[in-house]
Amino acid sequence: MTMAMTTGASAGTTLGASAAEKGRYFGAAVAVNKLSTSAYTTILNREFNSVVAENEMKWASNEPQQGVFNHSSGDRLVSHAQANGMSVRGHTLLWHAQQPGWAQGMSGSALRNAAINHVTQVATHYRGKIYAWDVVNEAFADGGSGGRRDSNLQRTGNDWIEAAFRAARAADPGAKLCYNDYNTDGINAKSTGIYNMVRDFKSRGVPIDCVGFQSHLGTSLASDYQANLQRFADLGVDVQITELDVMTGGNQANIYGAVTRACLAVSRCTGITTWGVRDCDSWRGSDNALLFDCNGNKKAAYTAVLNALNAGTGTPTTPPPTTPPPTTPPPTTGGCSASVSLNSWNGGFVASVKVTAGSAGTNGWNVSVTLPSGASVTNTWSATASGSTGTVRFANVDYNGRLTAGQVAEFGFQGTGSGTGMTPTCTAS
Ligand code: 9MR
C-alpha cells in the first residue's frame, strides 16, 4: 500500500508534532521517577510523542529475583504514555549489562532458559503496548573484529539472539522487534557485523523488524551516517535513532540537524529518540548533550532539529509489507472518510486506519468502529479510544485533527480476537 506523500515545508511547533507530520515519532528516554517533577513532564508532554524507560524495563529492574517480576515503574511509564498519546519503545529484553545478580552468576542451559523465560514473561506483560522492543542490546564487540561481544549470554551459544527474537515474536506479535547497538554510526566493522546478522536473519525467517542506532555522538558525524541507515533499510527492516545525544560544543546543533536530516531522508527511518530530556537528566553529565538546558530552555540544537523536521520532505512511515490493501474504499463525500487495513494473526490484529478529510477540511474527527464479538482493543496510537469492545470511538489527538481538504491522517490500534469485517465511519467537526 502506498500512502500520500507529505511534501514541501510544514511548520510543526514541537518536535513530536513536526515529526508526526513526516510520519515519524520523536521520543525521549525517561527516568520514571522524574514523572513527578512538573518542570520535566511539562517539556516531555509538550515536545515528545514517544518514550522509552532509561533503566526501568531492564532485566535487573524487572526480574530482581528469578521468576519474581516487578513491572511497577514500567507500567507507570506506559500509563503516562497512553494518557498522553505517546508510543513506547521497550528497552531492553536482553543485554550483557544491568543483569540481576542471580543471572550474572548463571551459565549454559540454565542461563539460556532463564533468559528466554525473561523475554517471554516481559514481552507478554507488555503485549499490545509496545511499539518496538530492543530485544537484544549491544551484543557486538567494539574494535575491528565485526564479531560478537563475549558475555555470559553469548557463551550459551551463538543462536541466543535468534532464540530471543523468536520468543519475543511469540509473546507480542504486534511489537516491532529491534536489534540495538552503539558505535554503529557509519559503515564500519561493527555495523557491518550487525548488517550481516540482519541479512542472515532475514534470509532464514528469523523475526527481526528493525535496527536501532544509539548514536551517542562526539564532535563529528560519520559522513556515511545516512548511507549506513539506508543499507540496513534496504535489507527490509525499519531503522530508528534510539539514544541520540551529542557532545556539547560548536558542532552540537549541526550534528543534531544532520542526524535528523539523515533519518528523514531514509523512508524506513521511523523515529528518533534522545537519551533524556534536559542536559542535567543525561547520563553524560557535563557533556550537556541534549536539546534542553538544565532550566528547560530550548538550545540551538533544539532549533536545528525542529528546522530539519519542518524542512523535511519525508514520506509517512511505510506500513508493514504484510499489510493488505484497505478492505473498505473511502467514500468520496461527507466531512471525512475512513478506511481500515488489517494485519492479522491467530488471536489478534493490528488495524491501520486512514482518515481523509472531505472538501471542507476538519478541525477534528471521530471514527467509530464496531468490533466483531469477542474482539477488544488493547492499544491505540495517534488517536484516543473510548471503549474497547463493541462500538469503539477514536478521536483525533492534538496534532492530527486539523486537516485540509483531501489531507490524510493515520492512526492505529491493536486488538485481541479477530478484527475482520470492521467498517469505520468518520465524523468531522
Ligand atoms: O542512561 C542509562 C544510565 O542511567 C545507566 O546507569 C546505564 C547503565 O549501564 O545505562 C544507561 O543507558 C544505556 C542504555 O541502556 C544502553 N546504551 C547505552 C546507554 C548509556 O550508557
CSV table of all heavy atoms in Angstrom, one decimal, residues 343-406:
chain,number,residue,atom,x,y,z
A,343,ASN,N,-3.7,-6.2,9.7
A,343,ASN,CA,-2.6,-7.2,9.7
A,343,ASN,C,-3.0,-8.1,10.8
A,343,ASN,O,-3.0,-7.8,12.0
A,343,ASN,CB,-1.3,-6.5,10.0
A,343,ASN,CG,-0.1,-7.4,10.0
A,343,ASN,OD1,-0.2,-8.5,9.6
A,343,ASN,ND2,1.0,-6.9,10.5
A,344,SER,N,-3.4,-9.4,10.5
A,344,SER,CA,-4.0,-10.3,11.5
A,344,SER,C,-3.1,-11.5,11.7
A,344,SER,O,-2.3,-11.9,10.9
A,344,SER,CB,-5.3,-10.8,11.0
A,344,SER,OG,-6.2,-9.8,10.8
A,345,TRP,N,-3.2,-12.0,12.9
A,345,TRP,CA,-2.6,-13.3,13.2
A,345,TRP,C,-3.6,-14.1,14.0
A,345,TRP,O,-4.6,-13.5,14.4
A,345,TRP,CB,-1.2,-13.1,13.9
A,345,TRP,CG,-1.3,-12.4,15.2
A,345,TRP,CD1,-1.5,-12.9,16.4
A,345,TRP,CD2,-1.3,-11.0,15.4
A,345,TRP,NE1,-1.6,-11.9,17.4
A,345,TRP,CE2,-1.4,-10.7,16.7
A,345,TRP,CE3,-1.1,-9.9,14.5
A,345,TRP,CZ2,-1.4,-9.4,17.2
A,345,TRP,CZ3,-1.1,-8.6,15.0
A,345,TRP,CH2,-1.2,-8.4,16.4
A,346,ASN,N,-3.3,-15.3,14.3
A,346,ASN,CA,-4.2,-16.1,15.1
A,346,ASN,C,-4.4,-15.5,16.5
A,346,ASN,O,-3.4,-15.5,17.3
A,346,ASN,CB,-3.7,-17.6,15.2
A,346,ASN,CG,-4.7,-18.5,15.7
A,346,ASN,OD1,-5.9,-18.2,15.8
A,346,ASN,ND2,-4.3,-19.7,16.1
A,347,GLY,N,-5.5,-15.0,16.8
A,347,GLY,CA,-5.8,-14.4,18.1
A,347,GLY,C,-5.6,-12.9,18.2
A,347,GLY,O,-5.9,-12.4,19.3
A,348,GLY,N,-5.2,-12.2,17.2
A,348,GLY,CA,-5.0,-10.8,17.3
A,348,GLY,C,-4.8,-10.1,16.0
A,348,GLY,O,-4.8,-10.7,14.9
A,349,PHE,N,-4.8,-8.8,16.1
A,349,PHE,CA,-4.6,-8.0,14.8
A,349,PHE,C,-4.1,-6.6,15.1
A,349,PHE,O,-4.2,-6.1,16.3
A,349,PHE,CB,-6.0,-7.9,14.1
A,349,PHE,CG,-7.1,-7.2,14.9
A,349,PHE,CD1,-7.2,-5.8,14.9
A,349,PHE,CD2,-7.9,-7.9,15.8
A,349,PHE,CE1,-8.2,-5.2,15.6
A,349,PHE,CE2,-8.8,-7.3,16.6
A,349,PHE,CZ,-9.0,-5.9,16.5
A,350,VAL,N,-3.5,-6.0,14.1
A,350,VAL,CA,-3.3,-4.5,14.2
A,350,VAL,C,-4.0,-3.9,13.0
A,350,VAL,O,-4.0,-4.4,11.9
A,350,VAL,CB,-1.8,-4.3,14.0
A,350,VAL,CG1,-1.5,-2.8,13.7
A,350,VAL,CG2,-1.0,-4.6,15.3
A,351,ALA,N,-4.8,-2.9,13.3
A,351,ALA,CA,-5.6,-2.2,12.3
A,351,ALA,C,-5.0,-0.8,12.1
A,351,ALA,O,-4.7,-0.1,13.1
A,351,ALA,CB,-7.1,-2.0,12.8
A,352,SER,N,-4.7,-0.5,10.8
A,352,SER,CA,-4.2,0.9,10.5
A,352,SER,C,-5.4,1.6,9.8
A,352,SER,O,-5.9,1.1,8.8
A,352,SER,CB,-3.0,0.8,9.5
A,352,SER,OG,-2.0,-0.1,10.0
A,353,VAL,N,-5.7,2.8,10.3
A,353,VAL,CA,-6.9,3.5,9.8
A,353,VAL,C,-6.4,4.8,9.2
A,353,VAL,O,-5.6,5.5,9.8
A,353,VAL,CB,-7.9,3.8,11.0
A,353,VAL,CG1,-9.1,4.5,10.4
A,353,VAL,CG2,-8.2,2.5,11.7
A,354,LYS,N,-6.9,5.0,8.0
A,354,LYS,CA,-6.6,6.2,7.3
A,354,LYS,C,-7.8,7.1,7.3
A,354,LYS,O,-8.9,6.7,6.9
A,354,LYS,CB,-6.3,5.8,5.8
A,354,LYS,CG,-5.3,6.5,5.1
A,354,LYS,CD,-4.9,5.7,3.9
A,354,LYS,CE,-4.5,6.6,2.7
A,354,LYS,NZ,-4.0,5.8,1.6
A,355,VAL,N,-7.7,8.4,7.8
A,355,VAL,CA,-8.8,9.3,7.8
A,355,VAL,C,-8.5,10.3,6.7
A,355,VAL,O,-7.4,10.9,6.6
A,355,VAL,CB,-8.8,10.0,9.2
A,355,VAL,CG1,-9.9,11.1,9.2
A,355,VAL,CG2,-9.1,9.0,10.3
A,356,THR,N,-9.5,10.5,5.8
A,356,THR,CA,-9.3,11.5,4.7
A,356,THR,C,-10.3,12.6,4.9
A,356,THR,O,-11.6,12.3,5.0
A,356,THR,CB,-9.5,10.8,3.3
A,356,THR,OG1,-8.6,9.7,3.3
A,356,THR,CG2,-9.2,11.8,2.2
A,357,ALA,N,-9.9,13.9,4.9
A,357,ALA,CA,-10.8,15.0,5.1
A,357,ALA,C,-11.6,15.2,3.8
A,357,ALA,O,-11.1,15.1,2.7
A,357,ALA,CB,-10.0,16.2,5.5
A,358,GLY,N,-12.9,15.6,4.0
A,358,GLY,CA,-13.7,15.9,2.8
A,358,GLY,C,-13.4,17.3,2.4
A,358,GLY,O,-12.4,18.0,2.8
A,359,SER,N,-14.3,17.9,1.5
A,359,SER,CA,-14.0,19.1,0.8
A,359,SER,C,-13.9,20.3,1.8
A,359,SER,O,-13.2,21.3,1.4
A,359,SER,CB,-15.0,19.4,-0.3
A,359,SER,OG,-16.3,19.4,0.3
A,360,ALA,N,-14.5,20.2,3.0
A,360,ALA,CA,-14.4,21.4,3.9
A,360,ALA,C,-13.2,21.3,4.8
A,360,ALA,O,-13.0,22.2,5.6
A,360,ALA,CB,-15.7,21.5,4.7
A,361,GLY,N,-12.5,20.2,4.8
A,361,GLY,CA,-11.4,20.0,5.8
A,361,GLY,C,-12.0,19.7,7.2
A,361,GLY,O,-13.2,19.6,7.3
A,362,THR,N,-11.2,19.5,8.1
A,362,THR,CA,-11.7,19.2,9.5
A,362,THR,C,-10.9,20.0,10.5
A,362,THR,O,-9.8,20.4,10.3
A,362,THR,CB,-11.4,17.7,9.9
A,362,THR,OG1,-10.0,17.5,9.9
A,362,THR,CG2,-12.0,16.7,8.9
A,363,ASN,N,-11.6,20.3,11.6
A,363,ASN,CA,-11.0,20.8,12.8
A,363,ASN,C,-10.7,19.7,13.8
A,363,ASN,O,-9.8,19.8,14.7
A,363,ASN,CB,-11.9,21.8,13.5
A,363,ASN,CG,-12.0,23.1,12.7
A,363,ASN,OD1,-10.9,23.6,12.2
A,363,ASN,ND2,-13.1,23.7,12.6
A,364,GLY,N,-11.4,18.6,13.6
A,364,GLY,CA,-11.2,17.4,14.4
A,364,GLY,C,-12.0,16.3,13.8
A,364,GLY,O,-12.8,16.5,12.9
A,365,TRP,N,-11.8,15.1,14.2
A,365,TRP,CA,-12.6,13.9,13.7
A,365,TRP,C,-12.7,12.9,14.7
A,365,TRP,O,-12.0,12.8,15.7
A,365,TRP,CB,-11.9,13.4,12.4
A,365,TRP,CG,-10.4,13.2,12.5
A,365,TRP,CD1,-9.4,14.0,12.0
A,365,TRP,CD2,-9.7,12.1,13.1
A,365,TRP,NE1,-8.2,13.5,12.3
A,365,TRP,CE2,-8.3,12.3,12.9
A,365,TRP,CE3,-10.1,10.9,13.8
A,365,TRP,CZ2,-7.3,11.5,13.4
A,365,TRP,CZ3,-9.1,10.1,14.3
A,365,TRP,CH2,-7.7,10.4,14.1
A,366,ASN,N,-13.8,12.1,14.4
A,366,ASN,CA,-14.1,10.9,15.3
A,366,ASN,C,-14.3,9.7,14.3
A,366,ASN,O,-15.1,9.9,13.3
A,366,ASN,CB,-15.4,11.1,16.0
A,366,ASN,CG,-15.1,11.7,17.4
A,366,ASN,OD1,-14.7,10.9,18.3
A,366,ASN,ND2,-15.4,13.0,17.6
A,367,VAL,N,-13.8,8.6,14.6
A,367,VAL,CA,-14.0,7.4,13.8
A,367,VAL,C,-14.6,6.3,14.7
A,367,VAL,O,-14.1,6.0,15.8
A,367,VAL,CB,-12.7,6.9,13.2
A,367,VAL,CG1,-12.9,5.5,12.5
A,367,VAL,CG2,-12.1,7.9,12.2
A,368,SER,N,-15.8,5.8,14.3
A,368,SER,CA,-16.4,4.7,15.1
A,368,SER,C,-16.2,3.4,14.3
A,368,SER,O,-16.3,3.4,13.1
A,368,SER,CB,-17.9,5.0,15.2
A,368,SER,OG,-18.1,6.0,16.1
A,369,VAL,N,-15.8,2.4,15.1
A,369,VAL,CA,-15.6,1.1,14.5
A,369,VAL,C,-16.3,0.1,15.4
A,369,VAL,O,-16.2,0.1,16.6
A,369,VAL,CB,-14.1,0.7,14.5
A,369,VAL,CG1,-13.8,-0.7,14.0
A,369,VAL,CG2,-13.3,1.8,13.7
A,370,THR,N,-17.1,-0.8,14.8
A,370,THR,CA,-17.7,-1.8,15.6
A,370,THR,C,-16.9,-3.1,15.4
A,370,THR,O,-16.7,-3.6,14.3
A,370,THR,CB,-19.2,-2.0,15.1
A,370,THR,OG1,-19.9,-0.8,15.3
A,370,THR,CG2,-19.9,-3.1,15.9
A,371,LEU,N,-16.4,-3.6,16.6
A,371,LEU,CA,-15.6,-4.8,16.6
A,371,LEU,C,-16.4,-6.0,16.5
A,371,LEU,O,-17.5,-6.0,17.1
A,371,LEU,CB,-14.7,-4.8,17.8
A,371,LEU,CG,-13.4,-4.1,17.8
A,371,LEU,CD1,-13.5,-2.7,17.4
A,371,LEU,CD2,-12.7,-4.3,19.1
A,372,PRO,N,-16.0,-7.1,15.9
A,372,PRO,CA,-16.7,-8.3,16.0
A,372,PRO,C,-16.8,-8.8,17.4
A,372,PRO,O,-15.9,-8.4,18.2
A,372,PRO,CB,-15.8,-9.3,15.2
A,372,PRO,CG,-14.9,-8.4,14.4
A,372,PRO,CD,-14.7,-7.1,15.1
A,373,SER,N,-17.8,-9.6,17.7
A,373,SER,CA,-17.9,-10.0,19.1
A,373,SER,C,-16.7,-10.9,19.5
A,373,SER,O,-16.1,-11.6,18.7
A,373,SER,CB,-19.2,-10.8,19.3
A,373,SER,OG,-19.1,-12.1,19.0
A,374,GLY,N,-16.3,-10.7,20.7
A,374,GLY,CA,-15.1,-11.4,21.2
A,374,GLY,C,-13.8,-10.6,21.0
A,374,GLY,O,-12.8,-10.9,21.6
A,375,ALA,N,-13.8,-9.5,20.2
A,375,ALA,CA,-12.6,-8.8,19.9
A,375,ALA,C,-12.6,-7.6,20.9
A,375,ALA,O,-13.6,-7.1,21.3
A,375,ALA,CB,-12.6,-8.3,18.5
A,376,SER,N,-11.4,-7.2,21.2
A,376,SER,CA,-11.3,-5.9,22.1
A,376,SER,C,-10.0,-5.2,21.7
A,376,SER,O,-8.9,-5.8,21.3
A,376,SER,CB,-11.4,-6.3,23.5
A,376,SER,OG,-10.2,-6.9,24.0
A,377,VAL,N,-10.0,-3.9,21.9
A,377,VAL,CA,-8.9,-3.0,21.6
A,377,VAL,C,-7.9,-3.0,22.8
A,377,VAL,O,-8.4,-2.8,24.0
A,377,VAL,CB,-9.3,-1.6,21.3
A,377,VAL,CG1,-8.2,-0.6,21.2
A,377,VAL,CG2,-10.2,-1.6,20.0
A,378,THR,N,-6.6,-3.3,22.6
A,378,THR,CA,-5.7,-3.3,23.7
A,378,THR,C,-4.7,-2.1,23.7
A,378,THR,O,-4.0,-1.8,24.7
A,378,THR,CB,-4.9,-4.6,23.7
A,378,THR,OG1,-4.3,-4.7,22.4
A,378,THR,CG2,-5.7,-5.8,24.0
A,379,ASN,N,-4.6,-1.4,22.6
A,379,ASN,CA,-3.6,-0.4,22.4
A,379,ASN,C,-4.0,0.5,21.2
A,379,ASN,O,-4.4,0.0,20.2
A,379,ASN,CB,-2.2,-1.0,22.2
A,379,ASN,CG,-1.1,-0.1,22.2
A,379,ASN,OD1,-1.2,1.0,22.8
A,379,ASN,ND2,-0.1,-0.4,21.4
A,380,THR,N,-3.8,1.8,21.4
A,380,THR,CA,-4.1,2.7,20.3
A,380,THR,C,-3.0,3.7,20.2
A,380,THR,O,-2.4,4.1,21.2
A,380,THR,CB,-5.4,3.5,20.7
A,380,THR,OG1,-6.5,2.6,20.9
A,380,THR,CG2,-5.9,4.4,19.6
A,381,TRP,N,-2.7,4.1,18.9
A,381,TRP,CA,-1.7,5.2,18.7
A,381,TRP,C,-2.2,6.2,17.8
A,381,TRP,O,-3.0,6.0,16.9
A,381,TRP,CB,-0.3,4.6,18.3
A,381,TRP,CG,-0.4,3.7,17.1
A,381,TRP,CD1,-0.2,4.0,15.8
A,381,TRP,CD2,-0.7,2.3,17.2
A,381,TRP,NE1,-0.3,2.9,15.1
A,381,TRP,CE2,-0.6,1.8,15.8
A,381,TRP,CE3,-0.9,1.4,18.2
A,381,TRP,CZ2,-0.8,0.5,15.5
A,381,TRP,CZ3,-1.2,0.1,17.9
A,381,TRP,CH2,-1.1,-0.4,16.6
A,382,SER,N,-1.8,7.4,18.0
A,382,SER,CA,-2.2,8.6,17.2
A,382,SER,C,-3.7,8.9,17.2
A,382,SER,O,-4.2,9.5,16.3
A,382,SER,CB,-1.7,8.5,15.8
A,382,SER,OG,-0.3,8.4,15.8
A,383,ALA,N,-4.4,8.4,18.2
A,383,ALA,CA,-5.8,8.7,18.4
A,383,ALA,C,-6.1,8.3,19.9
A,383,ALA,O,-5.3,7.7,20.5
A,383,ALA,CB,-6.7,7.9,17.5
A,384,THR,N,-7.3,8.8,20.4
A,384,THR,CA,-7.7,8.4,21.7
A,384,THR,C,-8.9,7.6,21.6
A,384,THR,O,-9.9,8.0,21.0
A,384,THR,CB,-8.0,9.7,22.5
A,384,THR,OG1,-6.9,10.6,22.5
A,384,THR,CG2,-8.3,9.4,24.0
A,385,ALA,N,-8.9,6.4,22.2
A,385,ALA,CA,-10.0,5.5,22.1
A,385,ALA,C,-11.0,5.6,23.3
A,385,ALA,O,-10.6,5.9,24.4
A,385,ALA,CB,-9.5,4.0,22.1
A,386,SER,N,-12.3,5.6,23.0
A,386,SER,CA,-13.3,5.4,24.1
A,386,SER,C,-13.9,4.1,23.9
A,386,SER,O,-14.5,3.7,22.9
A,386,SER,CB,-14.4,6.5,23.9
A,386,SER,OG,-13.9,7.8,23.8
A,387,GLY,N,-13.8,3.3,25.0
A,387,GLY,CA,-14.3,1.9,25.0
A,387,GLY,C,-13.3,1.0,24.4
A,387,GLY,O,-12.2,1.4,23.8
A,388,SER,N,-13.5,-0.3,24.6
A,388,SER,CA,-12.5,-1.3,24.0
A,388,SER,C,-13.2,-2.4,23.3
A,388,SER,O,-12.6,-3.2,22.6
A,388,SER,CB,-11.6,-1.8,25.1
A,388,SER,OG,-12.3,-2.4,26.1
A,389,THR,N,-14.6,-2.6,23.5
A,389,THR,CA,-15.3,-3.6,22.9
A,389,THR,C,-16.6,-3.0,22.2
A,389,THR,O,-16.9,-1.9,22.6
A,389,THR,CB,-15.7,-4.7,23.9
A,389,THR,OG1,-16.5,-4.1,24.9
A,389,THR,CG2,-14.5,-5.4,24.5
A,390,GLY,N,-17.2,-3.8,21.4
A,390,GLY,CA,-18.4,-3.3,20.7
A,390,GLY,C,-18.1,-2.2,19.8
A,390,GLY,O,-17.1,-2.2,19.1
A,391,THR,N,-18.8,-1.1,19.9
A,391,THR,CA,-18.5,0.1,19.1
A,391,THR,C,-17.5,1.0,19.8
A,391,THR,O,-17.8,1.5,20.9
A,391,THR,CB,-19.8,0.9,18.7
A,391,THR,OG1,-20.6,0.0,18.0
A,391,THR,CG2,-19.5,2.1,17.8
A,392,VAL,N,-16.3,1.1,19.2
A,392,VAL,CA,-15.3,1.9,19.9
A,392,VAL,C,-15.1,3.2,19.1
A,392,VAL,O,-15.1,3.2,17.8
A,392,VAL,CB,-14.0,1.1,19.9
A,392,VAL,CG1,-12.8,1.9,20.5
A,392,VAL,CG2,-14.2,-0.2,20.6
A,393,ARG,N,-15.0,4.3,19.8
A,393,ARG,CA,-14.9,5.6,19.1
A,393,ARG,C,-13.4,6.1,19.3
A,393,ARG,O,-12.9,6.1,20.4
A,393,ARG,CB,-15.8,6.7,19.8
A,393,ARG,CG,-16.8,7.3,18.9
A,393,ARG,CD,-17.8,8.0,19.8
A,393,ARG,NE,-17.2,9.1,20.5
A,393,ARG,CZ,-17.5,10.4,20.3
A,393,ARG,NH1,-18.4,10.7,19.4
A,393,ARG,NH2,-17.0,11.3,21.0
A,394,PHE,N,-12.8,6.5,18.2
A,394,PHE,CA,-11.4,7.0,18.2
A,394,PHE,C,-11.5,8.5,17.8
A,394,PHE,O,-12.0,8.9,16.7
A,394,PHE,CB,-10.6,6.3,17.1
A,394,PHE,CG,-10.5,4.8,17.4
A,394,PHE,CD1,-11.4,3.9,16.9
A,394,PHE,CD2,-9.5,4.3,18.3
A,394,PHE,CE1,-11.3,2.5,17.1
A,394,PHE,CE2,-9.4,2.9,18.5
A,394,PHE,CZ,-10.3,2.1,18.0
A,395,ALA,N,-11.0,9.3,18.7
A,395,ALA,CA,-10.9,10.8,18.4
A,395,ALA,C,-9.5,11.2,18.1
A,395,ALA,O,-8.5,10.6,18.5
A,395,ALA,CB,-11.4,11.6,19.7
A,396,ASN,N,-9.3,12.2,17.2
A,396,ASN,CA,-8.0,12.7,16.9
A,396,ASN,C,-7.2,13.1,18.2
A,396,ASN,O,-7.9,13.4,19.2
A,396,ASN,CB,-8.1,13.9,16.0
A,396,ASN,CG,-8.8,15.1,16.6
A,396,ASN,OD1,-10.1,15.2,16.6
A,396,ASN,ND2,-8.1,16.0,17.2
A,397,VAL,N,-5.9,13.1,18.1
A,397,VAL,CA,-5.1,13.7,19.1
A,397,VAL,C,-4.7,15.1,18.7
A,397,VAL,O,-5.1,15.5,17.5
A,397,VAL,CB,-3.8,12.9,19.4
A,397,VAL,CG1,-4.2,11.6,20.2
A,397,VAL,CG2,-3.1,12.5,18.2
A,398,ASP,N,-4.0,15.9,19.5
A,398,ASP,CA,-3.9,17.3,19.2
A,398,ASP,C,-3.2,17.6,17.8
A,398,ASP,O,-3.5,18.6,17.1
A,398,ASP,CB,-3.3,18.1,20.3
A,398,ASP,CG,-1.9,17.6,20.7
A,398,ASP,OD1,-1.5,16.6,20.1
A,398,ASP,OD2,-1.3,18.2,21.6
A,399,TYR,N,-2.3,16.8,17.4
A,399,TYR,CA,-1.5,17.1,16.2
A,399,TYR,C,-2.1,16.6,14.9
A,399,TYR,O,-1.6,16.9,13.8
A,399,TYR,CB,-0.1,16.6,16.4
A,399,TYR,CG,0.1,15.1,16.6
A,399,TYR,CD1,0.0,14.3,15.5
A,399,TYR,CD2,0.3,14.6,17.8
A,399,TYR,CE1,0.2,12.9,15.7
A,399,TYR,CE2,0.5,13.3,18.1
A,399,TYR,CZ,0.4,12.4,17.0
A,399,TYR,OH,0.6,11.1,17.2
A,400,ASN,N,-3.2,15.8,14.9
A,400,ASN,CA,-3.7,15.3,13.7
A,400,ASN,C,-5.2,15.5,13.4
A,400,ASN,O,-5.8,14.9,12.5
A,400,ASN,CB,-3.3,13.8,13.5
A,400,ASN,CG,-4.0,12.9,14.5
A,400,ASN,OD1,-4.9,13.4,15.3
A,400,ASN,ND2,-3.7,11.7,14.6
A,401,GLY,N,-5.8,16.5,14.2
A,401,GLY,CA,-7.2,16.7,14.0
A,401,GLY,C,-7.5,17.7,12.9
A,401,GLY,O,-8.6,17.6,12.2
A,402,ARG,N,-6.6,18.6,12.7
A,402,ARG,CA,-6.9,19.7,11.7
A,402,ARG,C,-6.3,19.3,10.3
A,402,ARG,O,-5.1,19.2,10.1
A,402,ARG,CB,-6.1,21.0,12.2
A,402,ARG,CG,-6.7,22.3,11.7
A,402,ARG,CD,-6.0,23.4,12.4
A,402,ARG,NE,-6.4,23.5,13.8
A,402,ARG,CZ,-7.5,24.2,14.2
A,402,ARG,NH1,-8.2,24.9,13.3
A,402,ARG,NH2,-7.9,24.3,15.4
A,403,LEU,N,-7.2,19.0,9.4
A,403,LEU,CA,-6.8,18.5,8.1
A,403,LEU,C,-7.4,19.4,7.0
A,403,LEU,O,-8.6,19.9,7.1
A,403,LEU,CB,-7.3,17.1,7.9
A,403,LEU,CG,-6.9,16.0,8.9
A,403,LEU,CD1,-7.6,14.7,8.6
A,403,LEU,CD2,-5.4,15.8,8.9
A,404,THR,N,-6.7,19.7,6.0
A,404,THR,CA,-7.2,20.5,4.9
A,404,THR,C,-7.9,19.5,3.9
A,404,THR,O,-7.7,18.2,4.1
A,404,THR,CB,-6.1,21.2,4.1
A,404,THR,OG1,-5.1,20.2,3.7
A,404,THR,CG2,-5.4,22.2,5.0
A,405,ALA,N,-8.7,20.0,3.0
A,405,ALA,CA,-9.5,19.1,2.1
A,405,ALA,C,-8.6,18.0,1.5
A,405,ALA,O,-7.5,18.4,0.9
A,405,ALA,CB,-10.1,20.0,1.0
A,406,GLY,N,-9.0,16.8,1.6
A,406,GLY,CA,-8.2,15.7,1.0
A,406,GLY,C,-7.0,15.2,1.8
A,406,GLY,O,-6.4,14.2,1.4
